[in-house]
């Protein structure tokens, strides 16, 4: 068995899937192609953000009370090569800096690179408010970010936490909206469901 060849094939497949997700996110329509993806689901304050940040190895997700994740957040972890890093540094007129081991790009911000993960969090919040409004409602429009890392290639879709009660000026049917959004992702046969529950739940 050629393990090296299998590894290359998987990396190529992940790259193709990432490009397809980019296209679907730009088009803004429901996917007609069943893409392999890890879908992260859980109730509000169940610890989804902590789990994702542990996998990524960085703190970058917005925190707060109520529904914080209000748009499908597609997180593409992309393992970069030295050539990719050199190209990125050159395009930003940065000397070869060994301290830069990870950086982020957003699909909606072309040719913009984020090295400070606090700024990544701010941009997620800003884009969420732009797509979903500031009234704690949700949207099915995706926010797609690419985390270039020296770890591994993985893609996650972080979805709004399940809730039962509308708060503030949220729509009265916010629970139904969230469940409908979650089902649209988890019903796909190629979805791997990462369900997060609190450790003190029976």
């Amino acid at each position: 068995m050629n393990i090296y060849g299998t590894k290359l094939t998987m990396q190529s497949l992940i790259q193709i899937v990432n490009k397809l997700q980019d296209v679907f996110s730009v088009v803004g329509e429901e996917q007609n192609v069943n893409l392999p993806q890890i879908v992260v689901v859980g109730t509000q304050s169940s610890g989804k953000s902590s789990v994702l940040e542990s996998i990524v190895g960085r703190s970058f997700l917005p925190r707060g009370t109520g529904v914080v994740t209000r748009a499908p957040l597609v997180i593409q972890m992309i393992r970069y090569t030295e050539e990719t890093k050199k190209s990125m540094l050159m395009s930003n007129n940065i000397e070869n800096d060994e301290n830069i081991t990870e950086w982020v790009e957003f699909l909606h911000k072309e040719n913009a690179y984020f090295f400070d993960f606090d700024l990544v969090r701010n941009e997620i919040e800003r884009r969420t408010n732009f797509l979903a409004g500031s009234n704690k409602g949700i949207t099915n429009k995706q926010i797609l970010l690419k985390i270039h890392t020296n770890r591994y290639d993985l893609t996650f879709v972080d979805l709004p936490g399940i809730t039962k009660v509308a708060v503030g000026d949220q729509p009265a049917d916010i629970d139904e909206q969230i469940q409908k959004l979650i089902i649209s992702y988890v019903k796909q046969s190629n979805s791997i469901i990462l369900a997060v529950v609190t450790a003190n739940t029976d």
Side-chain angles (χ1 to χ4, degrees):
M1 180 178 177
N2 189 339
I3 298 176
Y4 182 71
T6 302
K7 182 179 178 181
L8 285 178
T9 302
M10 283 301 297
Q11 287 178 338
S12 299
L13 176 61
I14 291 172
Q15 291 173 1
I16 292 171
V17 170
N18 286 347
K19 289 179 180 178
L20 286 172
Q21 285 177 324
D22 292 355
V23 172
F24 285 124
S25 184
V26 170
V27 171
E29 296 180 357
E30 187 173 348
Q31 292 178 183
N32 294 319
V33 179
N34 191 357
L35 299 178
Q37 55 194 355
I38 301 173
V39 181
V40 186
V41 298
T43 58
Q44 281 185 26
S45 304
S46 61
K48 291 193 294 99
S49 295
S50 297
V51 170
L52 281 172
E53 289 179 341
S54 295
I55 295 172
V56 173
R58 289 280 192 165
S59 175
F60 67 100
L61 293 172
R63 302 295 177 92
T65 58
V67 180
V68 178
T69 303
R70 299 189 291 121
L73 182 62
V74 181
I75 304 169
Q76 297 177 352
M77 294 182 66
I78 301 171
R79 187 173 183 178
Y80 61 80
T81 62
E82 284 303 314
E83 290 75 15
T84 303
K85 181 178 178 180
K86 288 179 181 177
S87 176
M88 181 276 298
L89 292 173
M90 288 180 61
S91 65
N92 286 272
N93 297 317
I94 300 174
E95 296 291 334
N96 192 10
D97 192 340
E98 295 182 356
N99 293 324
I100 297 178
T101 58
E102 293 165 315
W103 66 94
V104 174
E105 294 179 87
F106 285 89
L107 187 63
H108 64 273
K109 293 184 73 71
E110 190 175 357
N111 298 322
Y113 299 86
F114 292 75
F115 305 100
D116 185 336
F117 280 75
D118 288 334
L119 296 180
V120 172
R121 180 184 298 108
N122 293 341
E123 180 59 26
I124 293 173
E125 292 175 343
R126 189 199 67 78
R127 186 64 176 175
T128 297
N129 289 334
F130 175 79
L131 295 176
S134 56
N135 64 346
K136 292 297 183 180
I138 67 167
T139 178
N140 61 0
K141 296 178 181 177
Q142 295 180 340
I143 300 173
L144 192 148
L145 67 151
K146 303 171 185 289
I147 301 178
H148 298 269
T149 177
N150 55 10
R151 288 174 171 242
Y152 27 67
D153 294 294
L154 276 178
T155 298
F156 299 90
V157 182
D158 186 21
L159 296 174
I162 299 170
T163 183
K164 292 295 183 184
V165 180
V167 295
D169 52 359
Q170 283 182 335
D173 64 341
I174 186 69
D175 58 331
E176 296 178 8
Q177 290 185 27
I178 293 175
Q179 289 183 38
K180 183 179 178 181
L181 178 61
I182 291 173
I183 290 171
S184 71
Y185 280 87
V186 301
K187 72 179 182 182
Q188 299 176 28
S189 59
N190 282 341
S191 290
I192 299 172
I193 303 171
L194 175 57
V196 181
V197 296
T198 55
N200 58 1
T201 300
D202 291 337

